[in-house]
Amino acid sequence: MPTSLLAALPYMPALQPVDALSLHHLKYVLDDLVGPGELCQEQNFPGSLSACRLMGGGVMLMAELPRGTVVRHEWQHVAQLESDDVLASIVLEGSGRVEQNGVALQFGSGDVFYRKARIPSTVRNDSACRFLLLRFSFGRFHGAHTSRFQHFVPTMARRDSALRQAVWHYAQQVLPSLPQLAGQSADTAYHAEQAFVSMLSAAYAESQQAPAQPVLPDRDDARWSSIVATFDALLCEPDLTVAQVARTVGISPRLLHRLFARRGLRYGSYLLERRLARAHADLGDPRHARLAVADIAYRTGFNNASHFSRAFRRRYGVSPSALRQTGDS
């Protein structure tokens, strides 16, 4: 995270106050140190921030935010990020709710929750909150065991866990005393930081063996299945618009676009891919051997045979006619 603001910060454990003179400036600081997003508040009070760099790479923040603060990271924000980082938050005071990837977690004082920086998320404060937040790379979080955790799940550390209690004790008792200890030994801060990251990683790994965290009723999967079924049923229509698909599924065009974005897809590109895949299958199907290539193009929603042929060649590296002649399906 080589940003200008981060480069000016001291290394752990020396948390340096970062002036947040207004809501706009607070957003700038959070964008720079945590990730781009939207910031809303019920009160016109930006809160306070302290931050430092982690010696092993990353950043740590102490944030106090008023009740009603909402921090939201949408796809258009996280798409700008290049690094694959984990956000680990220790709730020192307050309560609220965090949502990511269909998982909703209610947090309170003492809780530890984890998110992925490159996946959209929302954090809402039900009361004034004080957080200790660490951001570091996915590789550092899991170390040699990264391959076992490739499918990251937003979660909360088990509340009955001794590991969670150790993380809480570190944040409340050890961290405040580190500046004095670090002054006595140059290696102390580095090893203390490593121990903290390891405890956070262990608490996350433990949470994956626990019963699943509560998930809000989420109809995204059912809606997406309906969208796919609608495409299959109406693919022959050349003017298959967003409005038409949304109306058939029973959702708004805006929500339909959002469902595509959550899967990293765009409506137009996905529609073209479905049309080409159907045409590819039909060209290799003996039942359609008597159909001309142009007829297959029209059956799959292309209203221009030349456009179909060009798009097909770009996608599969061979023309529709050549594919049919070789029988390569």
Side-chain angles (χ1 to χ4, degrees):
M1 291 171 286
T3 64
S4 57
L5 183 57
L6 180 62
L9 294 176
Y11 282 106
M12 184 179 173
L15 282 161
Q16 174 177 298
V18 180
D19 291 333
L21 304 177
S22 64
L23 188 63
H24 175 77
H25 189 247
L26 175 63
K27 178 186 181 304
Y28 165 75
V29 173
L30 292 177
D31 283 356
D32 204 25
L33 296 180
V34 179
E38 297 176 2
L39 179 64
C40 303
Q41 286 185 337
E42 293 179 357
Q43 309 172 34
N44 189 22
F45 173 66
S48 63
L49 286 174
S50 298
C52 65
R53 285 182 283 176
L54 298 178
M55 295 181 177
V59 63
M60 181 169 71
L61 287 84
M62 182 79 75
E64 296 185 29
L65 301 174
R67 179 181 62 82
T69 300
V70 179
V71 181
R72 183 180 293 108
H73 304 279
E74 300 284 7
W75 278 114
Q76 64 265 29
H77 303 131
V78 300
Q80 305 173 31
L81 299 177
E82 297 180 359
S83 56
D84 195 22
D85 289 352
V86 172
L87 300 175
S89 300
I90 300 98
V91 186
L92 302 177
E93 294 178 13
S95 62
R97 166 193 179 104
V98 58
E99 301 173 23
Q100 184 173 75
N101 217 24
V103 176
L105 306 168
Q106 205 74 31
F107 62 77
S109 298
D111 282 328
V112 181
F113 61 87
Y114 304 85
R115 293 171 287 153
K116 213 49 176 317
R118 292 181 68 183
I119 300 177
S121 65
T122 302
V123 178
R124 307 172 188 271
N125 291 0
D126 295 335
S127 65
C129 290
R130 187 162 61 97
F131 299 98
L132 183 65
L133 182 146
L134 288 86
R135 175 178 174 174
F136 36 68
S137 70
F138 191 68
R140 186 182 184 196
F141 188 48
H142 293 306
H145 302 285
T146 297
S147 61
R148 295 179 57 189
F149 297 96
Q150 288 181 347
H151 301 292
F152 182 89
V153 178
T155 191
M156 195 150 59
R158 288 174 46 178
R159 286 173 173 164
D160 61 348
S161 166
L163 286 168
R164 184 202 63 80
Q165 294 175 10
V167 170
W168 172 256
H169 176 76
Y170 183 101
Q172 290 283 68
Q173 304 295 330
V174 178
L175 185 61
S177 66
L178 275 182
Q180 180 180 357
L181 294 173
Q184 299 172 7
S185 170
D187 295 331
T188 299
Y190 175 76
H191 290 298
E193 176 185 303
Q194 289 292 97
F196 194 26
V197 172
S198 295
M199 282 191 293
L200 286 165
S201 180
Y204 171 84
E206 181 185 48
S207 73
Q208 299 310 290
Q209 301 171 2
Q213 297 291 344
V215 179
L216 285 182
D218 191 349
R219 294 181 291 174
D220 277 9
D221 289 342
R223 285 166 170 162
W224 182 253
S225 296
S226 296
I227 290 172
V228 173
T230 300
F231 271 98
D232 289 341
L234 304 179
L235 207 58
C236 61
E237 298 189 16
D239 297 319
L240 187 55
T241 64
V242 170
Q244 183 178 0
V245 174
R247 185 168 56 251
T248 302
V249 176
I251 60 177
S252 69
R254 182 178 180 182
L255 177 55
L256 186 138
H257 278 301
R258 191 179 302 163
L259 291 170
F260 272 87
R262 288 174 183 171
R263 289 160 177 80
L265 301 171
R266 293 178 180 272
Y267 179 89
S269 300
Y270 181 81
L271 175 58
L272 177 61
E273 179 64 23
R274 297 289 292 190
R275 293 194 196 281
L276 291 172
R278 175 75 65 81
H280 187 279
D282 286 354
L283 287 167
D285 191 333
R287 294 174 297 179
H288 303 313
R290 294 182 179 275
L291 289 176
V293 170
D295 291 333
I296 288 178
Y298 298 136
R299 281 166 52 93
T300 51
F302 290 93
N303 53 17
N304 184 296
S306 297
H307 170 63
F308 163 68
S309 183
R310 290 193 298 271
F312 193 93
R313 183 186 289 275
R314 283 196 301 269
R315 174 62 179 83
Y316 295 106
V318 63
S319 70
S321 300
L323 180 77
R324 170 171 276 181
Q325 289 170 5
T326 61
D328 181 12
S329 60

